[in-house]
Amino acid sequence: MVKLGDLVTIKGGGTPSKKVEAYWNGGIPWASVKDLKSRELYATEDSITQLGVEKSATNVIPRGTIIVPTRMALGKVAITGCEMAINQDLKAIFINDAQVIDRDYFARFLESKANYIESEGKGATVKGITLEFLRDIDVPLPPLEEQKRIAAILDKADAIRRKRKQAIQLADDFLRAVFLDMFGDPVTNPKGWDECVLKDIADVRSGVTKGKKVPEGQGISLPYMRVANVQDGYLDLSSIQDITVTKKDAEKCKLIRGDILLTEGGDPDKLGRGHVWNDEIENCIHQNHIFSVRIKNTSAVRAEFLSAVISSQRGKRYFLKVGKQTTGIATINKTVLSEFCPFIPPIDMQDKYLKIVTKVAAMKNSTGDMKLELFGSLSQKAFSGQL
């Protein structure tokens, strides 16, 4: 194990004054945290001039350099695909001796430490790490050939993971196209499907409040759904926590097959994200930041179809319109959710669409040779000498 600071040289960046037009919109890409959308960084939203470089603290970084953020987006790692400048929230990492540590191995190691780096961020609103913290990270240092072997294995695994993500994205795009073809634009409802108010066809329920005091001897411990578990179109069940509640709350908030789980708040573009519960966990309940929508007449409305309408542009635009927004976070309450107006086509049309959804879901589950979540496990094994 060798300290990171003994293996690399770290160089920071800066921002030219926004008040001087001559510093901006030049031929030099200028990277900030918002550009870290993929592992390889080829393009940036902003660019600066040579004068902007000379008149600021930024540095122009060569192609093939590892960069990491030390403020916001902690844990991300990128490699520059071209020569570019960086701002003060990014740090460029240069290998001191390529005969001691391989660049690709080192980049994969940093990726494996993403959760740790993120958890160590300090700050009331915006989390950051210090250069001292970064330099003090212990790096496992096997022989160079072993480093290259590990990097090659992880590169291949990552390529499989990316292909799987692309296949899943294509499948999702296909389903959106099928939905539009069968039912028309969900916002304008051009085919004139019957519309109704959500509270007329379903019961909207809030969950149990976390931290609520339970009289001694009257509580029971149950697994529960948190905001982190309910994603846009799927449930993330990789980390399930328990909560102690009264028997009354346990009964009131118990989930049953067919409940649609929806989040109360989050990023504005993800308001009302959710998925249908299919009894994945026995005796599971949900917290108060998750709504459950329980259909009253399942012979007229299918939960999976209603969930698709809610997550369509029809639902997203409605939630953005009625949601309360503060500092980049938006929330909805039970009342406004209950007033949402979905359209409900005939049941045979719903079932026809859901048959296609089922086939596509089966394809998505079988695509690729590796589950997406297994890459992290493989990475952890690689840097603990188990690969």
Side-chain angles (χ1 to χ4, degrees), residues 39-227:
R39 189 172 189 267
E40 297 176 347
L41 182 55
Y42 289 97
T44 60
E45 290 187 23
D46 300 304
S47 62
I48 58 177
T49 62
Q50 182 59 40
L51 185 62
V53 173
E54 295 169 0
K55 297 295 184 179
S56 71
T58 191
N59 283 293
V60 177
I61 306 303
R63 176 180 178 273
T65 302
I66 298 170
I67 57 174
V68 299
T70 51
R71 184 174 176 272
M72 299 184 290
L74 297 179
K76 286 194 173 184
V77 180
I79 298 175
T80 56
C82 62
E83 186 178 82
M84 64 180 61
I86 59 174
N87 82 342
Q88 64 275 9
D89 295 329
L90 300 179
K91 298 295 180 283
I93 299 180
F94 299 90
I95 301 294
N96 290 338
D97 189 344
Q99 296 304 309
V100 173
I101 186 164
D102 178 70
R103 186 207 65 176
D104 294 333
Y105 168 86
F106 185 69
R108 291 296 182 190
F109 166 74
L110 287 174
E111 290 172 351
S112 76
K113 302 295 287 185
N115 290 339
Y116 168 66
I117 292 172
E118 184 180 17
S119 69
E120 291 296 311
K122 301 294 189 295
T125 54
V126 178
K127 303 295 184 181
I129 56 173
T130 64
L131 286 181
E132 289 73 23
F133 165 79
L134 199 58
R135 292 189 179 105
D136 198 49
I137 292 175
D138 287 318
V139 182
L141 203 64
L144 191 62
E145 287 306 310
E146 177 67 6
Q147 294 178 36
K148 292 181 177 180
R149 185 185 77 88
I150 289 172
I153 290 173
L154 293 178
D155 283 347
K156 289 179 181 179
D158 194 26
I160 293 171
R161 179 176 65 166
R162 282 186 276 111
K163 286 180 180 179
R164 180 174 172 80
K165 283 184 176 180
Q166 291 170 2
I168 289 173
Q169 183 60 54
L170 286 172
D172 290 340
D173 292 343
F174 170 73
L175 279 181
R176 280 190 285 271
V178 169
F179 189 94
L180 286 171
D181 182 61
M182 291 183 66
F183 306 110
D185 182 352
V187 177
T188 59
N189 188 17
K191 297 192 177 185
W193 305 114
D194 290 340
E195 297 184 8
C196 58
V197 180
L198 186 61
K199 64 184 179 183
D200 292 339
I201 62 170
D203 293 319
V204 180
R205 304 181 309 147
S206 297
V208 66
T209 301
K210 189 177 179 181
K212 184 178 179 181
K213 290 186 177 181
V214 178
E216 188 174 349
Q218 297 184 29
I220 55 175
S221 184
L222 296 171
Y224 75 106
M225 288 291 98
R226 302 170 291 130
V227 172

Side-chain angles (χ1 to χ4, degrees), residues 201-305:
I201 62 170
D203 293 319
V204 180
R205 304 181 309 147
S206 297
V208 66
T209 301
K210 189 177 179 181
K212 184 178 179 181
K213 290 186 177 181
V214 178
E216 188 174 349
Q218 297 184 29
I220 55 175
S221 184
L222 296 171
Y224 75 106
M225 288 291 98
R226 302 170 291 130
V227 172
N229 300 125
V230 182
Q231 299 298 317
D232 196 4
Y234 69 98
L235 298 177
D236 182 355
L237 304 179
S238 59
S239 177
I240 304 300
Q241 297 182 7
D242 288 349
I243 189 171
T244 300
V245 297
T246 62
K247 291 182 179 179
K248 181 179 179 181
D249 281 341
E251 186 61 32
K252 183 182 74 171
C253 302
K254 184 179 179 180
L255 296 172
I256 65 172
R257 181 183 293 273
D259 285 348
I260 304 171
L261 301 182
L262 300 167
T263 58
E264 175 191 62
D267 295 336
D269 64 332
K270 294 181 176 65
L271 260 187
R273 73 185 189 205
H275 193 60
V276 178
W277 179 256
N278 285 303
D279 283 344
E280 287 85 351
I281 300 171
E282 188 177 0
N283 293 323
C284 191
I285 61 177
H286 62 104
Q287 72 167 130
N288 61 320
H289 296 303
I290 301 292
F291 298 111
S292 66
V293 177
R294 185 169 297 170
I295 296 171
K296 297 176 181 178
N297 183 3
T298 55
S299 63
V301 184
R302 303 298 191 216
E304 291 81 2
F305 180 80

Side-chain angles (χ1 to χ4, degrees), residues 340-356:
F340 172 64
C341 291
F343 62 79
I344 306 296
I347 197 69
D348 61 325
M349 289 285 290
Q350 297 179 47
D351 287 340
K352 183 178 180 181
Y353 171 72
L354 294 178
K355 282 183 180 179
I356 299 173

